[in-house]
Structure formats: structure tokens, C-alpha cells
Amino acid sequence: MHRERCICEFIPSLQLKTKVSLIIHAKELKRTTNTGRLALLALTNSEMQVRGQGKTPTALTSLLRSDYRTLLFYPSNEAIDLTPEFVLQSSLPIQLIVPDGNWRQASKVHYRHPELSEVPRVMISTPNLALDHLRAENTEHGMSTIQAIAMALGIIEGKEVGDTLMNLYLKKLEQTLIGRGHKISTH
């Protein structure tokens, strides 16, 4: 972002039990509309792995840890709706593996990484009713990575955490749209 639209002062420092592991496609690293990396700046218990840098897939076996209840955050036919009741089914803290990239790039994570084949998939089934977006969405459930993480953490860690992260997204959206010469309608 240009200096006059910098949002650094609005980035919170959220110390949570939940660990977010972002699996970002290499092409996504250059995009100014990427929000996954923005989410990680706010989440102290988080990490990023880059995929799609060559012919050899990035090994993700290090993410499979016994001290976390690991979930792959990806909407698929076998995904379970992430609900408070689902979260309470285990006392282990959750590690949320989040694919980040455009829809096509993110959709490949679950079958290009067989080490994740046994990881339960979860999703948010709430449609995205926002009028403004950083990028065009091709489904009613489409949303930016930080929006999805905010909704998930709102369920896992509580509404205040979700709202805090969503407010960071809204600040990013606002400043991006101002930079494009648009007025926003999300507030």
C-alpha cells in the first residue's frame, strides 16, 4: 500500500491457543490484495509455508502434530461445518491449515499434498453478503483469506477475536478501494 493508506497501526497482536498455518501459493506472495499474510501479522501463534515454487511439492508433514487437533480449512463435499459444537468435541487446541491463493490454487492443496489426506476438512457455510470485495468472488461463499480466518476464529476463539480480525480486513478493504478511487459500502 502507499504510505498514506498504510494500515500497520491497525494490526492487532492476537495471542491465541489456535494455531493458523497458512499454505500460500508462491504467486500469491506478490499480490497486493493478498490478505492471508495480513492475518499472520496479527496472529502470534501462526506460520506460513509456501507452495507452488517448482515441480516438487512442498512437504507439509511438519504440520501434522499430536499436540494440536489439526483441521484443513477448505470447503469441499466432505467438509464439516465449523460450529461451536464441533470445536467442543476435543480439548486439544486447534491448528487450522488454511490454503491461500486464488480459488484454483487453493483447491489443489487437498489433493497435491497426500500427507493431508487424513486431516478432517472444515468450512464456513455462511454466505458472504458483503457488497465490496478486494477481488471478484465466483461463489456466494467466496471471501478473502482473512475474512475466512476471522469467521473461523470467531467460532473457535470467540466473537471478539473474530471481530478484531474482521475489522483489520475492513480497514484493508477501505484503504484499497480508496486507492482505486471507489467509495466503500461495507461500513
Side-chain angles (χ1 to χ4, degrees), residues 18 68 135:
T18 303
Y68 282 98
R135 299 183 196 169

Side-chain angles (χ1 to χ4, degrees), residues 20-38:
V20 172
S21 297
L22 191 73
I23 311 304
I24 189 168
H25 194 278
K27 291 180 180 176
E28 194 66 18
L29 292 170
K30 300 175 189 170
R31 299 190 79 142
T32 59
T33 55
N34 176 272
T35 61
R37 292 185 313 156
L38 181 59

Side-chain angles (χ1 to χ4, degrees), residues 120-138:
R121 287 156 179 76
V122 294
M123 66 179 186
I124 301 286
S125 60
T126 307
N128 183 2
L129 302 176
L131 300 175
D132 295 311
H133 306 278
L134 289 172
R135 299 183 196 169
E137 298 297 343
N138 51 1

Side-chain angles (χ1 to χ4, degrees), residues 102-169:
N102 64 34
W103 189 253
R104 187 171 176 272
Q105 292 161 344
S107 70
K108 293 180 181 181
V109 168
H110 73 279
Y111 68 85
R112 289 230 172 129
H113 294 278
E115 65 270 35
L116 301 179
S117 65
E118 299 300 315
V119 175
R121 287 156 179 76
V122 294
M123 66 179 186
I124 301 286
S125 60
T126 307
N128 183 2
L129 302 176
L131 300 175
D132 295 311
H133 306 278
L134 289 172
R135 299 183 196 169
E137 298 297 343
N138 51 1
T139 73
E140 72 172 1
H141 293 90
M143 61 185 75
S144 73
T145 302
I146 195 171
Q147 284 177 290
I149 292 171
M151 291 179 76
L153 291 178
I155 294 166
I156 299 167
E157 294 276 349
K159 182 178 179 345
E160 185 177 331
V161 170
D163 289 348
T164 299
L165 207 52
M166 191 63 78
N167 287 335
L168 177 60
Y169 163 72

